[in-house]
Amino acid sequence: MSRTICRCPLWLAALLTPALLQAQRPATIAEAQRVLEPLVESYGVSRREGPVREEVLRQLPAWARPVVDTAGNLWVRAGSGDPLVIFVAHMDEIGFRVTGIRDDGQLLLAAEGGFFASLFEAEPALVHTGHGMVPGVLTPRDSGATRRAPGELRVDVGSGSRAATEALGIAPGATVTMPKEFVRLAGTRATGRSFDDRVGCAALLLALRRIDPLKLRHAVAFVWSVREEIGLEGASVAADALGLSAGRVHAIDTFVSSDAPLDPGNYAHAALGQGPVIRAYDNSYAAPPALVDSLRALATTARVPLQYGTTSGGNDGSEFAAWGVPNVAIGWPLRYAHSPAETIDLRDVVHLAEVVLLIVERW
């Protein structure tokens, strides 16, 4: 047994199983990638999160007893006693919904989530139907003219007629995305689409692998939520189900950072690779300052990097506010949010899982 894995007597080392050893040590960059990559490459536009949920289920530890509620949220509970601490990471991603089919067979679209449609035009498309994926093209628009707004974004599957498109199994309600792939960049950086919020989903899985449910001092619940991008709908169902029983909630979601070459750094600046970020304030909620300070102190004592700041957007934890549940959302720095080229640092994924574990075991 390697001395770098276990600094203990040989008689004790012989008793340690691989699962126990994993529970003792923090995640590595390689493990974080193994957990995150298949999540990123699963498709799950809002209302169609099934493939992502199946991937989360596949990666849960053996002790977990998952439950799917009526909204489609996935729950894993552990421990007992107060306070009940909730972690929420959303499974859905931005994309489009088919609203109609033109006579020429092209698809009319509505955005699912907030993003700039111009980032997706003139790119390959995938139409997700009940029978599988149909390739297409997100058509270029007349965006060269400066005197009028560009036209509507459509998808051309090459059929040439409404009947031929319908014969492919495409109907209103189908979702549309771009093809995507997890790609490693130099060092510990990576790029892809839908890191928002597959990183949060991965961090919860990495933390769960290191939890001994029999040793928890209070109850915890991990929730992988649905329909965050179109209005925090899954989190609303979870909040109503728990009511006043929750003691604290932590939304684990993106910190949209200005840490990019052309961004001014005077707002929402959190450097990639410098650790996860407490979302002290965003458009949906202001975290209680005393809890922000307490969590920062805990991370400092544990020597886990943790930034804090303000950013835009909302988070699932804000849905618990109506029940008086304090929310301390924790993000991770993201460049180029809601684009085909979202960029992260895998070190932040590792440290985000460590912060979740700190909260579960020591806060």
Side-chain angles (χ1 to χ4, degrees), residues 47 74 84 97 110 126 128 150 172 175 242 248 326 330:
R47 301 187 180 94
L74 174 63
L84 169 59
R97 174 172 44 87
L126 289 175
H128 302 268
T175 57
L242 291 168
R248 193 173 67 244
I330 306 167

Side-chain angles (χ1 to χ4, degrees), residues 84-262:
L84 169 59
V85 178
I86 313 298
F87 298 90
V88 188
H90 69 85
M91 296 183 288
D92 58 323
E93 65 191 77
I94 60 169
F96 301 92
R97 174 172 44 87
V98 176
T99 59
I101 303 174
R102 289 164 37 115
D103 289 341
D104 63 3
Q106 294 191 35
L107 308 180
L108 303 176
L109 305 174
E112 294 283 71
F115 56 94
F116 296 109
S118 60
L119 295 173
F120 295 83
E121 66 179 302
E123 296 286 352
L126 289 175
V127 185
H128 302 268
T129 77
H131 308 288
M133 292 185 288
V134 179
V137 175
L138 287 152
T139 58
R141 298 177 296 172
D142 182 13
S143 55
T146 58
R147 296 182 181 179
R148 62 178 183 274
E152 62 188 4
L153 191 62
R154 301 190 297 269
V155 167
D156 184 355
V157 296
S159 64
S161 71
R162 182 196 304 271
T165 295
E166 292 174 340
L168 296 172
I170 299 173
T175 57
V176 176
T177 65
M178 292 174 56
K180 57 179 179 173
E181 181 183 7
F182 179 100
V183 177
R184 279 293 296 268
L185 303 175
T188 52
R189 299 287 169 90
T191 187
R193 190 178 59 73
S194 74
F195 282 129
D196 176 11
D197 181 30
R198 306 301 161 72
V199 168
C201 294
L204 296 189
L205 287 167
L206 289 166
L208 273 171
R209 290 182 174 188
R210 286 157 175 79
I211 289 172
D212 184 343
L214 300 179
K215 294 183 178 180
L216 297 181
R217 295 179 296 176
H218 58 81
V220 294
F222 295 82
V223 182
W224 289 264
S225 68
V226 297
R227 304 194 298 277
E228 189 270 352
E229 298 290 1
I230 58 174
L232 316 180
E233 294 180 5
S236 178
V237 172
D240 290 345
L242 291 168
L244 299 173
S245 64
R248 193 173 67 244
V249 63
H250 298 280
I252 310 298
D253 202 349
T254 312
F255 187 93
V256 179
S257 178
S258 61
D259 179 34
L262 298 180

Side-chain angles (χ1 to χ4, degrees), residues 4-15:
T4 62
I5 293 177
C6 179
R7 296 176 180 175
C8 56
L10 291 178
W11 65 268
L12 177 59
L15 298 177

